[in-house]
Amino acid sequence: MKTSRIWTLGASAALLAATLATPALSQETIRIIGHRSPPNEYYTGAMQKALPEGRVSVELMPIDKEMELASITMSSKSDAIDVLYLTDSSLKRFAANGWLEPLDDLWAKYKEEYKLDDFPPAIMEAVSYDGHIYSMPVLTNTELFFYRKDLFDEAGIAAPKTMDDYQNAAAKLDSGRMSGTIMSLKPVDAALNETHWYLNAVGDGWFDENWRPIFNQEAGVKAITRMKEMSEFAPRGFTSHANDESTINLQQGLAAMGLQWFTRAASMDDPQKSRVVGKIDWVAPPGGGARVANDGFAISAFSSGDKEEMFRMLAEASSVDSMIKGAEFSMPPRLSVLQNEELSEKYRWYPAARAALEDGKPFPALPDFNDVGDIVTRHVLRAVTGEVEVKAALDQAAKETEELLASRGYYKN
Amino acid sequence: MSMRSQGRRRGYLLFAALCIFTFVNLIPLLWAVLPSFKYPADAFTIPPTLIFEPTLEYHREVWFENDFFRYLINSLIVSAGTVLISVPCGTLAAYALSRIPRRNSGPILNVLFTIRMFPHMLLAIPFFVMGTFLNMIDSYPLLILALVAINQPFTIWLLHGFFLDIPRDLDEAAAIDGCNSWQAFRIVILPLARPGMTVAALFSLLMSYNEFLFALVLTGVETKTLPVAIASFGGEDISLWSISAAGAVGIMLPIVVIMLFLQRNLVSGLTAGAVKG
Amino acid sequence: MVRWQRGLWLFCLPSFGLLTIVLLWPLAYAIYLSFFDYYLGSDVRTFVGLGNYIDLLSETRLWNSMWTTIVIAFGSVALEFVVGFALALALYGNRIGTKAFSTLLFLPHIITPVVATLFLKWMLASNWGLVDATLLTIGIEPPDWLGNPLWAKISVILADAWIFTPLIMIVLYAALQGLNNSLLEAARIDGASNWRILRHVVIPALIPAIIFTISVRLMDVFRFFDTIYVLTGGGPGTATETVTMYTYQLGFRMLQVGKASALGVITLVIVAVLLLTINRMLTRIYRKGDQ
């Protein structure tokens, strides 16, 4: 007994000593956190290669975990994170909070060396807030309309151009095991993308010019009613489907069409993942207004590392050469790469993607849009599942949105 | 004779029922292990495929390309640290609480419980602030301390019931022999408390090995534990579903092996009276 | 106080010292924050007194989620208890391979909860989940496990039960092993039926263990969040949004830390009152049974 107790005490003392001796965080490494996706795996890999081995550590995780970690870290002004991946809407939020390092000076300094004027104005707007540049644009992602070319040909219908075409096609191809269309309505992110498309394609969008919600007006009610009608052709379980589930439904030949991200297109032709190799084709989403996202990597305002070095690392990863290689996974935001004709030959979905980029829309550019999205998707889902009437649900959503935006000081005058 | 054969038949029925239930209960686990050997195209089919071309690629990727060994070591350090601090502290406190009048110990135990019911996610934010202030984010001690703290109420409660079962006469006899309270505890009580401490240790181990939220917030590159590492596999591309499955098998194996060896002590410890409070 | 008891408070020192520094401080801080309008994104926090509490208590969302929580909590604890107890009795009565059974049945509780829920998701996912794929293959149209508001609740309850029934089973099984065999023998010789033995001898003897398991499970099921987060994310709509899911939304997604803390305190009070009542009730039944 006695010996074992001494052993225990000794072990715990040794353990404590060992743990206390561990350095809190070696200041040498640059810590990058990001959302795990094929393009991010590629681009963070490029960042690691840009600096000597071991200087850069990358952690990729689901987007909600990344946002939690980043919010908690940066709200307490901790320097635990140096570089982070942000979508355009989160970028506005983080920049408005003062959590990000403005990159204007570095941008000007390295403009020549890294050809930074190659990014189109729309992209620069997406990575800026209040007149300052906050992130290095790394990838453009657009929603595409995926459809089963073979089934459409068989049924003698053309790829849909309008929402009516879409509804008719889905109704026609919906049979037994085959769902007419995928719908990704899992709260919050997936449902928000789908809602964004309907509100733009059928409705008049989200807000008026004073950030007052208009999605509960007639056009918005029509949009969500249409969404509810379309859900008849959706696979069972669509309310808990995110991009993964919808992708699998397409890959397993369980759904005939629907809205999905560019980043998913390549996997449709990958025989290890897909049973419909060569059968899927793409067009720009009918009705237009599906989401376009411009994502980038920003530098934390609280990082204690060498920010110029980090900037050069980011610029290196988004160089022209790097983006040509990354074009398989996401649309390169650089004009010179985007217009490269070889890409369409190599990747079948590029023509559709260019068209989608033209008539797509980013999320409204207010820093609080993610929070608005939380509110609206919750009520849209209640409407789609029939818990409440569409109009009542949207009115409630509009009311809560106005309250939230008022409390964040939007309607001062 | 009829009664005996009836009893025997009932015994067989019971055995058969247990077999069936156990099997059905384990289907989710078995089904989850399969995709780790499948390419995604085979993993999500109707009807479900049992015959497929197996691949070890995803297991290799998890263990050799993703630093799983390092995360495993982190997990083991954190779990061992938590158990080694939590159980001794809890034992001492539980013993003391079992030896003072109930009207004093009752309220203290109730307060401990109330603390336990507070949503952990709301503690995570102050914890992070504290860790930043002390510059201890991404270090083992902070995570260990946090886990010990959230684990203390349960440990104390568990052991308190256990000590109540050990007659006070023993302490008193020791006191008459001239022992002070520490000596009485160490010489007389502690040897008897061993099964209870084992139970407390096993529950602490399970909790600390599996804890996710604090581990996410308080660890970083150096100290990431397995549950945090595995969460990073969920995401955009479905080939990751196979990797998730491989990761899930990876995280399961060590703790299952440990528990296989120790579960006997869990049952015997619990039988010895840990839950008679 | 007797002499040997004098030094006892020193025994509490390490544990309570640690709790005060590491746990009570954040808890007090959270309660303090609950009186402020505090958005994590800005440095400004305004004192609003009970404002957050009044806001929350007058919301239908809070009461809806509270109701959902109660349904799910009691549903899963009841299921876990009934199945766990039955399994414990089965293990107790079984003669062959009991050790193997108890080990295998305990497995789901050992797996990390997030991972365990993921496993269940692969069972229940529509179309390609094992349950659906099997039923569809033999031509049965299964319900929408995660997409129908009622079935989603049931799925969440089943998931929680899969993970936590083993805990109840093992505790009750251990308690059964501690039973006084002579009592059972005496009852059997008196010719009491199995059911009467169970009701009048076994259950009364197990009451402490029963109270223990039920309280621990109820306490945790109110706080637990992994299962629902992974399985349904609170959906469809708000069908499985529990109080903790709502707290998560407020605190981690909207970063309204003040309001989220107030919600935490409200949950704490409600659960504490509920548990106290249940404990009292069970103890009273126990005492009555004794007479």
Side-chain angles (χ1 to χ4, degrees):
Chain A
M1 181 64 221
K2 205 162 191 182
T3 47
S4 91
R5 213 166 55 77
I6 289 167
W7 181 85
T8 312
L9 275 178
S12 49
L15 187 96
L16 260 183
T19 53
L20 286 168
T22 326
L25 180 82
S26 56
Q27 296 297 332
E28 297 297 305
T29 28
I30 296 175
R31 186 187 182 202
I32 304 175
I33 65 165
H35 167 46
R36 184 180 283 270
S37 66
N40 274 355
E41 282 176 349
Y42 169 77
Y43 283 110
T44 52
M47 291 172 202
Q48 279 178 311
K49 274 183 219 134
L51 290 174
E53 173 101 25
R55 286 280 285 113
V56 181
S57 84
V58 175
E59 289 163 80
L60 299 177
M61 56 193 94
I63 185 96
D64 46 354
K65 294 280 159 253
E66 189 212 341
M67 287 298 112
E68 275 162 33
L69 193 56
S71 304
I72 293 180
T73 307
M74 304 187 99
S75 65
S76 51
K77 302 186 170 38
S78 157
D79 70 347
I81 295 170
D82 297 306
V83 172
L84 70 161
Y85 163 87
L86 288 171
T87 63
D88 38 17
S89 55
S90 329
L91 177 110
K92 303 266 190 289
R93 170 79 272 156
F94 278 55
N97 291 349
W99 293 348
L100 302 179
E101 183 74 15
L103 304 177
D104 306 286
D105 296 342
L106 290 165
W107 197 274
K109 186 170 170 191
Y110 289 101
K111 199 169 200 161
E112 300 300 313
E113 189 177 338
Y114 292 107
K115 291 197 195 126
L116 294 177
D117 42 11
D118 197 10
F119 296 107
I123 303 274
M124 292 317 295
E125 198 181 304
V127 296
S128 302
Y129 177 75
D130 212 9
H132 298 286
I133 301 170
Y134 283 100
S135 92
M136 176 65 70
V138 166
L139 62 105
T140 301
N141 201 355
T142 61
E143 295 264 25
L144 298 179
F145 188 78
F146 290 50
Y147 71 102
R148 284 285 295 275
K149 186 90 169 72
D150 54 333
L151 299 179
F152 272 64
D153 289 347
E154 218 171 272
I157 32 180
K161 290 202 170 62
T162 64
M163 285 305 252
D164 288 334
D165 294 349
Y166 172 37
Q167 192 165 6
N168 293 336
K172 194 154 187 186
L173 295 182
D174 186 70
S175 65
R177 209 56 64 68
M178 170 74 68
S179 300
T181 177
I182 50 167
M183 280 182 102
S184 323
L185 288 191
K186 183 177 179 176
V188 174
D189 308 285
L192 192 53
N193 295 331
E194 197 95 16
T195 308
H196 180 71
W197 178 36
Y198 277 86
L199 283 182
N200 287 324
V202 182
D204 292 332
W206 293 87
F207 297 102
D208 68 7
E209 65 274 19
N210 299 317
W211 298 121
R212 297 273 177 190
I214 56 164
F215 52 74
N216 60 331
Q217 290 171 8
E218 207 187 322
V221 174
K222 232 171 88 189
I224 302 305
T225 309
R226 174 66 67 97
M227 191 177 193
K228 190 178 170 181
E229 287 164 19
M230 290 302 292
S231 71
E232 276 176 44
F233 314 121
R236 291 175 321 102
F238 69 94
T239 50
S240 57
H241 285 182
N243 299 326
D244 273 342
E245 286 84 356
S246 290
T247 307
I248 296 172
N249 272 324
L250 288 170
Q251 288 169 335
Q252 291 289 341
L254 296 169
M257 67 192 86
L259 189 74
Q260 201 34 256
W261 286 107
F262 175 100
T263 44
R264 306 282 175 151
S267 73
M268 294 294 147
D269 281 349
D270 177 349
Q272 272 188 13
K273 296 173 187 165
S274 167
R275 299 184 164 247
V276 292
V277 176
K279 292 180 184 163
I280 299 265
D281 213 340
W282 297 267
V283 287
R291 186 170 172 211
V292 174
N294 291 297
D295 304 345
F297 282 81
I299 299 176
S300 160
F302 312 112
S303 164
S304 50
D306 178 354
K307 285 171 184 157
E308 184 159 351
E309 187 186 21
M310 291 175 206
F311 182 84
R312 295 185 55 175
M313 170 191 80
L314 293 176
E316 203 69 58
S318 53
S319 68
V320 176
D321 285 348
S322 168
M323 283 197 172
I324 287 177
K325 283 190 208 118
E328 181 187 351
F329 310 107
S330 64
M331 295 194 78
R334 280 178 181 274
L335 274 178
S336 61
V337 183
L338 201 55
Q339 283 156 1
N340 185 337
E341 284 306 319
E342 279 167 33
L343 289 181
S344 336
E345 281 163 33
K346 221 161 153 189
Y347 309 115
R348 302 194 287 125
W349 49 90
Y350 260 84
R354 287 200 189 108
L357 199 55
E358 256 165 51
D359 55 80
K361 269 199 182 127
F363 276 158
L366 72 167
D368 298 275
F369 187 72
N370 284 345
D371 297 348
V372 172
D374 266 10
I375 295 171
V376 177
T377 49
R378 189 156 43 84
H379 290 292
V380 163
L381 270 153
R382 290 172 70 222
V384 171
T385 54
E387 211 176 305
V388 279
E389 289 297 313
V390 175
K391 174 72 180 150
L394 291 178
D395 282 344
Q396 180 68 24
K399 186 177 151 249
E400 286 178 27
T401 302
E402 283 209 54
E403 279 169 12
L404 173 88
L405 294 184
S407 79
R408 302 268 166 90
Y410 274 73
Y411 311 126
K412 286 243 166 73
N413 23 25
Chain B
M1 171 240 130
S2 76
M3 244 178 92
R4 176 175 281 182
S5 75
Q6 200 190 349
R8 192 175 295 165
R9 206 168 65 209
R10 194 179 278 166
Y12 289 137
L13 275 178
L14 189 63
F15 180 74
L18 267 175
C19 283
I20 294 169
F21 186 90
T22 308
F23 177 72
V24 172
N25 202 40
L26 288 182
I27 287 179
L29 217 154
L30 301 171
W31 179 241
V33 174
L34 276 183
S36 69
F37 299 104
K38 284 178 175 177
Y39 290 108
D42 290 324
F44 308 106
T45 55
I46 307 174
T49 34
L50 288 172
I51 300 156
F52 53 90
E53 183 196 338
T55 169
L56 280 175
E57 186 187 329
Y58 298 108
H59 287 276
R60 190 190 54 82
E61 197 173 330
V62 159
W63 286 94
F64 296 104
E65 281 171 33
N66 282 292
D67 262 351
F68 230 59
F69 287 105
R70 197 168 84 185
Y71 305 140
L72 175 63
I73 289 171
N74 285 340
S75 269
L76 293 178
I77 290 177
V78 168
S79 308
T82 307
V83 172
L84 288 178
I85 297 174
S86 183
V87 176
C89 285
T91 306
L92 287 174
Y95 169 69
L97 286 176
S98 74
R99 291 315 190 243
I100 62 175
R102 214 176 177 123
R103 80 190 124 80
N104 295 339
S105 67
I108 298 178
L109 286 168
N110 281 339
V111 168
L112 284 177
F113 261 132
T114 321
I115 299 175
R116 186 179 144 81
M117 283 181 272
F118 199 68
H120 282 171
M121 62 187 76
L122 292 176
L123 298 175
I125 294 173
F127 254 101
F128 187 84
V129 175
M130 186 162 75
T132 312
F133 179 71
L134 298 171
N135 197 17
M136 275 167 75
I137 297 296
D138 197 15
S139 68
Y140 298 117
L142 184 70
L143 180 59
I144 292 177
L145 278 183
L147 293 179
V148 168
I150 56 172
N151 189 33
Q152 263 310 275
F154 184 73
T155 307
I156 293 178
W157 199 39
L158 198 70
L159 286 164
H160 174 253
F162 204 90
F163 282 118
L164 282 183
D165 248 30
I166 301 176
R168 268 162 182 257
D169 304 355
L170 289 177
D171 315 52
E172 264 150 34
I176 290 166
D177 286 349
C179 292
N180 62 26
S181 35
W182 169 249
Q183 287 164 329
F185 171 72
R186 205 193 61 194
I187 299 166
V188 181
I189 306 298
L190 202 55
L192 294 172
R194 233 173 164 187
M197 287 170 73
T198 316
V199 174
L202 285 175
F203 278 117
S204 310
L205 175 71
L206 268 185
M207 192 282 296
S208 49
Y209 185 84
N210 289 333
E211 209 284 331
F212 174 73
L213 183 66
F214 285 92
L216 172 74
V217 175
L218 300 179
T219 63
V221 188
E222 310 282 334
T223 55
K224 199 194 277 185
T225 58
L226 278 176
V228 180
I230 193 161
S232 74
F233 294 128
E236 276 281 318
D237 188 10
I238 69 145
S239 73
L240 295 166
W241 286 42
S242 294
I243 295 192
S244 306
V249 174
I251 192 172
M252 233 162 60
L253 278 180
I255 191 78
V256 167
V257 169
I258 293 174
M259 290 307 283
L260 279 185
F261 280 109
L262 298 177
Q263 194 175 347
R264 195 169 11 135
N265 305 44
L266 180 66
V267 177
S268 63
L270 283 168
T271 309
V275 288
K276 289 188 179 163
Chain C
M1 195 168 265
V2 203
R3 195 179 69 93
W4 66 269
Q5 285 178 324
R6 221 169 277 158
L8 276 180
W9 67 272
L10 275 170
F11 281 57
C12 294
L13 212 57
S15 173
F16 290 2
L18 202 123
L19 279 173
T20 314
I21 300 167
V22 189
L23 202 55
L24 282 183
W25 178 80
L27 186 73
Y29 184 65
I31 294 175
Y32 166 78
L33 283 182
S34 75
F35 299 112
F36 288 84
D37 180 7
Y38 181 28
Y39 168 64
L40 211 52
S42 66
D43 288 334
V44 206
R45 52 175 102 143
T46 12
F47 182 76
V48 289
L50 291 174
N52 286 327
Y53 291 91
I54 295 166
D55 272 3
L56 281 167
L57 291 172
S58 57
E59 263 179 16
T60 46
R61 187 174 179 188
L62 172 85
W63 296 109
N64 283 342
S65 60
M66 190 63 80
W67 184 237
T68 310
T69 314
I70 289 176
V71 169
I72 292 177
F74 281 91
S76 39
V77 175
L79 182 64
E80 283 156 25
F81 180 73
V82 171
V83 179
F85 195 21
L87 283 175
L89 287 172
L91 284 180
Y92 185 61
N94 183 48
R95 296 279 162 265
I96 326 146
T98 307
K99 205 171 282 167
F101 278 127
S102 71
T103 307
L104 288 175
L105 286 168
F106 198 61
L107 273 184
H109 187 66
I110 298 175
I111 311 168
T112 311
V114 185
V115 174
T117 319
L118 199 63
F119 289 1
L120 291 168
K121 194 172 180 181
W122 292 340
M123 295 289 291
L124 295 173
S126 52
N127 288 340
W128 66 83
L130 180 65
V131 176
D132 262 30
T134 312
L135 288 178
L136 284 170
T137 308
I138 57 174
I140 300 172
E141 178 84 354
D144 196 344
W145 304 107
L146 303 173
N148 170 296
L150 177 67
W151 278 106
K153 283 197 188 77
I154 296 175
S155 299
V156 166
I157 290 176
L158 284 174
D160 198 76
W162 189 64
I163 301 172
F164 290 102
T165 302
L167 177 69
I168 295 191
M169 175 198 81
I170 216 90
V171 172
L172 293 183
Y173 171 58
L176 278 170
Q177 296 219 301
L179 271 190
N180 191 339
N181 269 328
S182 58
L183 263 176
L184 289 179
E185 286 304 313
R188 220 162 264 153
I189 289 164
D190 285 352
S193 69
N194 280 340
W195 172 246
R196 285 181 64 92
I197 295 178
L198 181 67
R199 193 164 155 353
H200 294 287
V201 182
V202 176
I203 292 183
L206 290 189
I207 286 283
I210 291 174
I211 294 183
F212 174 86
T213 48
I214 291 187
S215 332
V216 168
R217 279 308 301 138
L218 268 182
M219 218 162 15
D220 285 351
V221 89
F222 271 94
R223 186 163 48 78
F224 262 50
F225 146 90
D226 300 355
T227 327
I228 294 176
Y229 181 73
V230 176
L231 215 51
T232 64
T238 52
T240 53
E241 185 180 78
T242 56
V243 187
T244 351
M245 274 304 292
Y246 185 23
T247 314
Y248 166 80
Q249 289 278 335
L250 277 179
F252 277 56
R253 284 203 68 113
M254 320 263 285
L255 304 181
Q256 308 272 19
V257 181
K259 203 172 166 191
S261 302
L263 185 54
V265 175
I266 293 175
T267 318
L268 189 74
V269 171
I270 292 179
V271 179
V273 170
L274 212 67
L275 267 182
L276 216 68
T277 324
I278 290 172
N279 261 343
R280 285 255 159 86
M281 235 165 59
L282 284 173
T283 320
R284 194 172 311 141
I285 297 170
Y286 172 40
R287 295 237 171 85
K288 216 194 252 162
D290 252 9
Q291 286 158 6

